[in-house]
Amino acid sequence: MDDIHRLIVEQIPHLRRYSGALLRDREKADDLVQDCLTRAMDRLHLWTPGTNMRAWLFTILHNLHVNAARRLSRQPGQVGLDETHEDLRSAPPEQGAGLALRDMDRALGKLPDDQRQVILLIGLEDLSYADAADVLDVPIGTVMSRLNRGREKLREIMENEDTPTIRRVK
Amino acid sequence: MTGIDDITRDHLHTFADGRLAPSEQTRVEAWLSEHPDDAAAVHAYRLQNTRLHEEFDPVLDENVPPGMAALVTGRSRRSSTPSGPWMRLAASVLLLLTGGLGGWLLHGQSALFPQASTSAFVNQAMGAHRVFVAEVRHPVEVPATQEAHLVAWLSKRLGTKLRAPDLLDAGYSLVGGRLLAEGARPAAQFMYEKKDGKRLTVYVRGLQDTKDTSFRFASKAGVSAFYWVEEAFAYALIAPVDRARLITIANKVYRDLERP
């Protein structure tokens, strides 16, 4: 196997992890990774040796995901890509332990796509803030504000789920 | 880089992610010791990262589906062949049906075909055929009534997009399918049945580093098999019929897959 191919194959588990967490459906996630690899191979000549292969692949995957989501959003009854602007900051609760395993998946499902992407690229895939900005094609300031909004919303979801229902009735 | 009064939300996230420069780190720590709300936020962000890893890291330990890796490593063949294993089957069958060359390949003398591993493969496939077509009560693991689930499940386990071909025109209806193990590798078997009780199976499994394409025939004790290897997968079509009849069924498979 060539070095370049090895670099790509090494990233497959990471692409699958990200894609699975993003789409919350293993089959769809693997379809997205397949599409990403196919496109990467078609565009291999565009990759600059010495640059970050991981960020390059995530960029391709992100673009495919956005295009697919855009197509979906044109169908009635589907949620689009628009950011939600709700103010989700609630009264600061106790330091809750938060939710159990696998509930993270459900909590992520409640976030807008753009916030989920940032949280996963940074918190799960450990991309630098600058690389995340490149992948998403937005300024780094946008990355940070999405990260903040997403994490605060996630925090609220986690702490609510950790709290018995009865306490939410105020 | 002055006092601690200019700590921003960005600092909190950068700190929680462990990406702050050491000098900044001390500054943020001092701030957090006096601002419990921010300390709680940092705690929550770190917990989120931990939970993300707990929940999603297991996929890193899974084997990469062979079909996925083949997209990268087996590239050179892919560009010129139809995508998807069944479409490649269709291409193979077409080649077979176009006459002379197919007839030559059917003699089983093709030099294109990788040797030992493939005869082992067809033996496995025919063995699985014999074992499971004889089953009266449990011929399949997942019945045809759950075809979508069956196909999705086997596709996932084999790491390629499978389809259960529609062989109704040839008189065979899908009974269902099962996951099998060949050594440590997963294999899939789809089973079909005719009104007269004759059963046909389609057997698929991933291979390592086998990229040759060919089409071969084998026959043993009244059971015939067409089998071939394509990129990272080996396929067999097996039924208790003669070669001419099996070609007709292969043709049905081809026509079925030709439809959009």
Side-chain angles (χ1 to χ4, degrees):
Chain A
M1 213 188 312
D2 297 349
D3 281 350
I4 188 167
H5 293 133
R6 191 171 314 123
L7 281 177
I8 296 174
V9 169
E10 276 169 10
Q11 293 304 324
I12 292 178
H14 296 281
L15 294 166
R16 294 182 78 206
R17 176 173 67 176
Y18 173 71
S19 186
L22 181 67
L23 300 179
R24 308 175 58 233
D25 178 318
R26 290 294 303 277
E27 277 164 40
K28 284 183 191 153
D30 277 353
D31 285 349
L32 179 60
V33 174
Q34 300 241 23
D35 291 348
C36 168
L37 294 171
T38 305
R39 180 160 297 192
M41 294 307 294
D42 285 341
R43 299 184 173 188
L44 208 48
H45 59 282
L46 296 175
W47 181 68
T48 316
T51 59
N52 189 338
M53 176 59 88
R54 189 169 201 186
W56 188 68
L57 290 171
F58 273 95
T59 304
I60 292 173
L61 188 128
H62 171 74
N63 291 338
L64 287 166
H65 167 65
V66 167
N67 291 340
R70 211 168 266 150
R71 275 197 300 277
L72 267 184
S73 72
R74 286 198 213 102
Q75 293 168 13
Q78 299 285 344
V79 179
L81 272 177
D82 293 339
E83 291 183 33
T84 54
H85 292 286
E86 327 158 49
D87 183 13
L88 290 150
R89 301 283 291 279
S90 57
E94 308 295 314
Q95 291 192 11
L99 58 195
L101 201 59
R102 258 175 297 284
D103 285 349
M104 196 66 186
D105 177 61
R106 204 150 39 88
L108 282 170
K110 295 180 181 171
L111 296 187
D113 208 40
D114 58 354
Q115 292 173 20
R116 185 162 59 232
Q117 288 159 9
V118 170
I119 284 178
L120 293 173
L121 287 175
I122 290 165
L124 184 63
E125 296 305 334
D126 211 29
L127 260 64
S128 71
Y129 300 139
D131 280 347
D134 283 348
V135 165
L136 302 172
D137 195 25
V138 295
I140 200 161
T142 306
V143 166
M144 297 313 289
S145 66
R146 284 180 189 174
L147 185 66
N148 188 52
R149 268 180 287 141
R151 279 178 170 171
E152 280 299 315
K153 179 165 184 185
L154 208 49
R155 191 180 164 195
E156 193 210 11
I157 296 166
M158 289 169 80
E159 278 156 0
N160 272 338
E161 299 208 353
D162 196 40
T163 310
T165 319
I166 208 162
R167 283 192 42 199
R168 269 188 255 157
V169 185
K170 286 182 180 164
Chain B
M1 308 295 155
T2 53
I4 60 171
D5 295 340
D6 58 342
I7 299 295
T8 64
R9 301 296 305 174
D10 287 5
H11 281 100
L12 299 184
H13 289 285
T14 315
F15 181 79
D17 288 328
R19 301 177 186 193
L20 268 188
S23 57
E24 295 266 281
Q25 190 133 347
T26 321
R27 217 159 60 87
V28 175
E29 275 164 6
W31 169 270
L32 292 180
S33 66
E34 309 215 331
H35 297 82
D37 284 358
D38 284 346
V42 165
H43 173 81
Y45 303 157
R46 285 188 165 157
L47 187 67
Q48 288 174 16
N49 286 354
T50 306
R51 286 283 150 78
L52 285 173
H53 282 285
E54 281 171 3
E55 190 153 328
F56 297 109
D57 281 0
V59 70
L60 296 181
D61 296 326
E62 288 176 17
N63 290 329
V64 170
M68 211 178 258
L71 286 175
V72 180
T73 55
R75 187 61 186 172
S76 52
R77 314 198 133 255
R78 234 188 115 72
S79 47
S80 58
T81 47
S83 60
W86 290 114
M87 287 311 293
R88 290 197 293 273
L89 158 60
S92 304
V93 172
L94 180 63
L95 175 70
L96 180 78
L97 295 173
T98 47
L101 179 57
W104 174 72
L105 286 171
L106 286 184
H107 284 355
Q109 300 301 321
S110 166
L112 295 170
F113 211 85
Q115 292 311 311
S117 66
T118 49
S119 59
F121 165 73
V122 77
N123 285 339
Q124 283 281 353
M126 290 178 90
H129 176 89
R130 279 176 206 287
V131 168
F132 292 111
V133 297
E135 272 292 328
V136 179
R137 295 189 60 185
H138 306 293
V140 294
E141 207 169 352
V142 178
T145 49
Q146 298 172 42
E147 184 179 338
H149 163 68
L150 169 70
V151 170
W153 170 55
L154 293 175
S155 297
K156 195 154 138 189
R157 290 310 305 267
L158 268 75
T160 187
K161 261 192 191 166
L162 296 173
R163 268 173 74 181
D166 182 353
L167 301 179
L168 278 177
D169 287 351
Y172 289 88
S173 52
L174 184 67
V175 180
R178 62 169 66 240
L179 180 69
L180 295 166
E182 212 184 303
R185 280 181 297 226
Q189 184 188 56
F190 290 105
M191 189 184 293
Y192 296 77
E193 191 173 60
K194 226 176 164 174
K195 279 210 175 97
D196 64 7
K198 250 181 212 162
R199 283 171 169 176
L200 171 154
T201 60
V202 175
Y203 185 93
V204 188
R205 88 147 149 73
L207 291 176
Q208 285 166 339
D209 299 331
T210 308
K211 291 174 184 169
D212 300 73
T213 308
S214 183
F215 210 81
R216 268 183 102 174
F217 177 78
S219 163
K220 208 163 139 187
V223 176
S224 304
F226 274 122
Y227 61 105
W228 62 98
V229 172
E230 174 65 41
E231 276 195 8
F233 290 90
Y235 303 85
L237 175 67
I238 305 159
V241 298
D242 63 19
R243 187 159 81 181
R245 183 67 194 135
L246 201 56
I247 291 177
T248 313
I249 297 167
N251 187 23
K252 299 279 188 200
V253 172
Y254 170 69
R255 285 212 300 260
D256 173 44
L257 294 170
E258 201 182 27
R259 275 190 267 121

